[in-house]
Amino acid sequence: MSEWWKNAVIYQIYPRSFMDSDGDGMGDIPGIEKRLDYLKDLGIDIIWLSPVYKSPNVDNGYDISDYRDIQEEFGTLADMEHLIGEIHRRGMRILMDLVVNHTSDQHPWFIEARKSKDNPKRDYYIWRDPNPDGSLPNNWESHFSGSVWQLDEQTGQYYLHIFSAGQPDLNWENPEVREEVKDIARFWLDKGVDGFRMDVINFISKVPGLPSVPGAKGLVRGNMFYMNGPRVHEYLHELNEDVFSKYDIMTVGETPSVTPEIAHQYVDADRGELSMVFQFEHINTDIRGTRWQLRPWTVKEFKSIISKWQKALGDKGWNSVYLSNHDQPRSVSRYGNDDRYLLESAKMLCTMDMTLRGTPYVYQGEELGMTNVRFDDISSYQDVESLGMYRDYKAKGVPMHDIMELVYCRGRDSARTPMQWDGSEYAGFSTSRPWLDVNPNHTWLNAEKEAADPDSVLSFYRSMIAFRKKHPVIVDGSFREWFEDHDRIFAYEREDDDERMFVLLNFSATKFTIIMPEELDIPSMELAVSNIGRKELGGNIISVYPYEAFVLVKRK
Ligand code: ISL
């Protein structure tokens, strides 16, 4: 089967924030359809749609109550079928988000399951009696604050929810659950979708007995007992054998806590599991443990992780390349400079994404250089994770100023403010006030303005995506890092039989001079990309400007 996904550029749409077609302040499927030409024009090959299924929206669609139907606010199943057709008509492909570690507590399976201990659906979920002393079954902390256990009054047992109580975990040990998942996958594949992004797919196998984390005081993350668990590969292989391998599709697993060694087990072609995974190591370089525990970020650590993955999943396996998504702060605010060097740094990050080996993902608005938002009051925020932290930290007496800073720099709503199409009141996203307010900077940072400006971030993305497609060395070539010990620049060389490419990225607001090693033979190379409008490099001694990025090429 061809591996079309290796050459592709993928664009993630967060449907509620992309485009509203009916003026209710909520993005929808017909809205997406209206903007398909924008994506085609950008050079996008594949669209990944965050969940659009029926959902009570405890976690914005990541809590699904009907996998075979569409959330009313987003449209109908017929709208979705039409969208799939329109995407294909433009020569693009579509991935759906398959969220099957858990369902919504409003899913008919769970409604049945909680009715009685002997209900036929009971074993679709994970239930435990309280301990004899009345304490919780174990000490695991939910990702969204509090315990992972919720007491179900009717039957007197607890059910497991790694995320919110509205997201009970499915019991994958039950073969009926696995058959249900296969049926859901087939349902969408038969409608023509081209694959899946699989939500926290490495959480599906729990260590038997669900042991408490030893030696911990209070609640702690039980990661080691459910991430990359004992049967996860068996389950994924089964899914692949029975369903995925029968279609010409791609799959990308969301897998927090994987090392390259673990990732190989998910993605190597001979394993028959997934096409690629999202690893988290490079985006965890400014946090410890959970997203709310900050630590200083360094270029050195960040680039060493990226290099490690480039080398490890080069010839065998495959990388995904991404800096942001609907769960992460805006990339330019996090790794670039969203103030004085917004333009330069957004383009620098784009240069990296489009020249690394792996499939690059652009998260909606990243191609405009959209930034984090700072709303004054917590009431402007909607994210279940941020609000959980807010309640917990407030109760613990953390100063309000510190809590809000965490919301600003780490909260997920920064990535979820509506897409900035133009400078009008609701950013051209909607004709009425959106479900989450627009970022006030939409008056000057928006797609309409950028489309008309050859020097904009948007124009740069378009040209870099086209550049990537013209240079197969980016997809197939080897990767060699240069200036490993430099604490501001990330530099690397890509090479195949036809071409040699050198990329230099300045991750700082500092201007400095570097001397290029003779071995690189810089004077023989041609300047192909510059994010600051450079016309030439000069010789081997180069003045590097703040957040500068350039790419040099040489045909062999
Ligand atoms: O620990 C984390 C955040 O504190 C992350 O690892 C998080 O668990 C991970 O990003 C999972 O995200 C996915 O599943 C969630 C959903 O809320 C996210 O939007 C989704 O991307 C539960 O379905």
Side-chain angles (χ1 to χ4, degrees):
M1 223 168 260
S2 80
E3 293 179 324
W4 41 265
W5 36 272
K6 288 193 173 174
N7 300 306
V9 176
I10 302 185
Y11 188 93
Q12 182 191 353
I13 289 182
Y14 195 63
R16 47 173 51 224
S17 302
F18 190 63
M19 183 67 208
D20 173 18
S21 71
D22 59 3
D24 63 355
M26 178 69 67
D28 49 42
I29 291 170
I32 295 171
E33 209 172 294
K34 280 192 172 169
R35 299 294 185 177
L36 289 180
D37 290 332
Y38 167 86
L39 299 179
K40 181 72 190 165
D41 191 44
L42 185 57
I44 298 304
D45 303 294
I46 303 174
I47 294 168
W48 148 29
L49 212 57
S50 276
V52 289
Y53 317 94
K54 277 234 164 19
S55 163
N57 282 320
V58 169
D59 187 19
N60 289 357
Y62 283 89
D63 48 321
I64 298 169
S65 54
D66 186 348
Y67 290 87
R68 293 178 178 78
D69 205 353
I70 300 296
Q71 178 69 8
E72 261 156 62
E73 299 158 305
F74 290 160
T76 62
L77 195 54
D79 291 333
M80 189 61 215
E81 286 164 348
H82 199 260
L83 178 71
I84 295 171
E86 286 300 302
I87 288 173
H88 287 160
R89 198 167 67 74
R90 287 169 176 79
M92 296 188 284
R93 289 181 161 100
I94 173 168
L95 310 181
M96 299 284 279
D97 213 316
L98 196 58
V99 187
V100 286
N101 171 68
H102 44 268
T103 68
S104 160
D105 64 348
Q106 301 305 309
H107 192 288
W109 299 335
F110 192 75
I111 293 175
E112 275 301 305
R114 75 191 318 177
K115 282 185 180 159
S116 67
K117 286 188 187 170
D118 56 6
N119 187 284
K121 293 281 186 283
R122 185 75 170 178
D123 199 32
Y124 272 39
Y125 297 88
I126 301 170
W127 301 89
R128 287 290 181 275
D129 288 323
N131 287 332
D133 65 358
S135 62
L136 294 166
N138 69 23
N139 63 0
W140 300 357
E141 181 191 33
S142 147
H143 283 238
F144 293 161
S145 305
S147 164
V148 294
W149 296 104
Q150 174 74 26
L151 185 64
D152 182 58
E153 301 288 345
Q154 183 145 336
T155 54
Q157 283 193 313
Y158 286 95
Y159 66 86
L160 178 80
H161 60 89
I162 290 175
F163 295 92
S164 77
Q167 295 164 295
D169 281 57
L170 282 166
N171 175 19
W172 277 67
E173 288 186 14
N174 180 349
E176 283 175 60
V177 166
R178 305 204 293 275
E179 290 310 313
E180 297 274 15
V181 171
K182 290 176 204 168
D183 275 351
I184 294 166
R186 284 187 202 105
F187 175 85
W188 288 103
L189 294 171
D190 292 339
K191 292 209 177 294
V193 312
D194 304 285
F196 299 106
R197 177 265 188 189
M198 301 176 72
D199 192 65
V200 286
I201 200 62
N202 63 333
F203 289 22
I204 58 178
S205 166
K206 279 81 175 166
V207 168
L210 313 177
S212 273
V213 178
K217 259 208 235 130
L219 296 175
V220 284
R221 297 277 173 100
N223 296 5
M224 60 179 118
F225 297 120
Y226 57 77
M227 293 189 184
N228 311 306
R231 296 182 68 187
V232 65
H233 297 294
E234 173 194 334
Y235 298 154
L236 287 177
H237 188 66
E238 181 182 321
L239 209 53
N240 187 303
E241 283 265 295
D242 292 356
V243 185
F244 299 161
S245 60
K246 314 254 189 271
Y247 300 81
D248 182 17
I249 60 165
M250 67 156 275
T251 50
V252 51
E254 189 207 22
T255 55
S257 273
V258 292
T259 59
E261 294 68 38
I262 300 173
H264 273 299
Q265 300 177 351
Y266 288 110
V267 306
D268 285 358
D270 52 10
R271 303 271 310 175
E273 295 185 21
L274 304 171
S275 312
M276 60 187 114
V277 293
F278 290 126
Q279 59 88 10
F280 279 60
E281 290 192 326
H282 67 301
I283 57 162
N284 285 344
T285 45
D286 55 3
I287 56 170
R288 272 178 246 280
T290 83
R291 76 166 62 226
W292 309 116
Q293 295 160 304
L294 307 189
R295 67 186 172 105
W297 181 82
T298 67
V299 179
K300 260 195 173 170
E301 184 189 355
F302 180 78
K303 70 176 181 172
S304 75
I305 290 173
I306 297 201
S307 294
K308 177 179 79 176
W309 282 85
Q310 286 289 298
K311 289 174 203 152
L313 277 81
D315 296 329
K316 196 162 190 227
W318 190 247
N319 270 304
S320 64
V321 175
Y322 76 101
L323 288 175
S324 70
N325 58 42
H326 65 293
D327 292 331
Q328 300 297 328
R330 286 285 177 184
S331 58
V332 70
S333 301
R334 190 178 197 180
Y335 307 115
N337 178 317
D338 62 9
D339 188 18
R340 182 157 169 210
Y341 296 110
L342 175 66
L343 220 61
E344 293 83 350
S345 63
K347 292 178 184 178
M348 183 275 288
L349 295 171
C350 167
T351 308
M352 183 182 86
D353 278 352
M354 294 305 156
T355 54
L356 286 174
R357 190 174 195 182
T359 301
Y361 289 74
V362 181
Y363 175 63
Q364 69 181 43
E366 195 174 15
E367 78 280 16
L368 304 176
M370 276 178 67
T371 66
N372 284 350
V373 74
R374 298 172 78 92
F375 295 127
D376 291 338
D377 198 87
I378 192 71
S379 63
S380 302
Y381 288 86
Q382 309 268 350
D383 171 30
V384 60
E385 186 179 42
S386 300
L387 298 179
M389 178 279 290
Y390 180 90
R391 271 193 309 273
D392 269 15
Y393 280 31
K394 199 173 156 198
K396 282 186 200 146
V398 177
M400 195 46 67
H401 172 268
D402 295 353
I403 299 180
M404 289 311 287
E405 275 306 315
L406 284 176
V407 172
Y408 296 152
C409 71
R410 285 295 164 272
R412 303 193 296 182
D413 279 341
S414 271
R416 300 176 177 185
T417 58
M419 182 69 179
Q420 295 171 196
W421 295 107
D422 64 34
S424 64
E425 188 177 8
Y426 302 123
F429 163 75
S430 179
T431 49
S432 66
R433 189 172 174 190
W435 70 277
L436 179 67
D437 282 332
V438 294
N439 188 321
N441 67 12
H442 74 276
T443 51
W444 55 268
L445 195 166
N446 62 65
E448 186 182 56
K449 203 158 163 259
E450 294 194 29
D453 174 3
D455 293 327
S456 66
V457 178
L458 178 61
S459 299
F460 192 81
Y461 262 88
R462 194 180 296 126
S463 70
M464 279 310 296
I465 292 172
F467 178 80
R468 181 183 175 89
K469 291 182 181 166
K470 273 198 239 108
H471 296 269
V473 66
I474 297 176
V475 177
D476 302 322
S478 62
F479 172 91
R480 177 177 175 190
E481 191 181 359
W482 288 88
F483 298 103
E484 268 132 319
D485 293 328
H486 204 289
D487 55 10
R488 295 201 176 92
I489 59 173
F490 181 25
Y492 46 89
E493 192 181 6
R494 309 289 320 274
E495 187 168 10
D496 66 7
D497 292 342
D498 304 314
E499 196 172 45
R500 201 156 67 78
M501 179 175 280
F502 178 75
V503 181
L504 186 139
L505 312 161
N506 178 6
F507 272 82
S508 80
T510 310
K511 184 184 169 190
F512 52 87
T513 301
I514 51 164
I515 302 172
M516 302 302 254
E518 290 290 334
E519 193 191 334
L520 270 169
D521 196 13
I522 295 293
S524 75
M525 301 187 86
E526 178 199 334
L527 179 66
V529 173
S530 164
N531 70 335
I532 57 166
R534 221 188 233 282
K535 296 284 175 278
E536 55 174 26
L537 276 187
N540 267 337
I541 302 174
I542 301 174
S543 294
V544 181
Y545 289 86
Y547 293 101
E548 174 164 14
F550 59 75
V551 182
L552 310 177
V553 290
K554 185 179 180 183
R555 299 287 305 168
K556 286 190 174 167

